[in-house]
Amino acid sequence: MAKVLRTFRDAPSGRVVNPGDEIHPTPGRHEELAEQGLVEPPGAGAKAAEPPVNKMAEPPVNKAVTAPAEPEKRGPGRPPVRR
């Protein structure tokens, strides 16, 4: 499988391929297209990056809750009568 770098018409299939498409050329055809700069060179696969490091410190276990409690939600209409 080869990833296309530039737009060109693929002769065997007769279709126009765009950058980012993947085609399945024979090994000889793959080298020929790579020399012309149309596809990635053979053996050039996607390199996986390492996951990012989380630099934030963990919150302490005994930290007090600072967010206020949510008020009681009421439905639409008049407020209740207090007696």
Side-chain angles (χ1 to χ4, degrees):
M1 183 170 8
K3 189 172 183 181
V4 177
L5 300 176
R6 293 189 345 206
T7 303
F8 68 97
R9 179 176 295 277
D10 190 29
S13 66
R15 68 182 181 104
V16 175
V17 290
N18 296 311
D21 291 348
E22 294 180 347
I23 58 173
H24 300 281
T26 61
R29 174 101 169 117
H30 190 166
E31 291 172 5
E32 179 184 325
L33 293 172
E35 287 175 4
Q36 297 174 10
L38 300 174
V39 297
E40 288 183 337
K47 296 179 183 178
E50 294 182 17
V53 178
N54 186 359
K55 295 181 181 179
M56 287 186 62
E58 294 293 323
V61 178
N62 61 353
K63 183 176 179 181
V65 177
T66 57
E70 290 186 29
E72 206 175 299
K73 294 186 178 182
R74 296 183 302 143
R78 297 177 66 177
V81 176
R82 297 192 186 235
R83 294 184 187 207

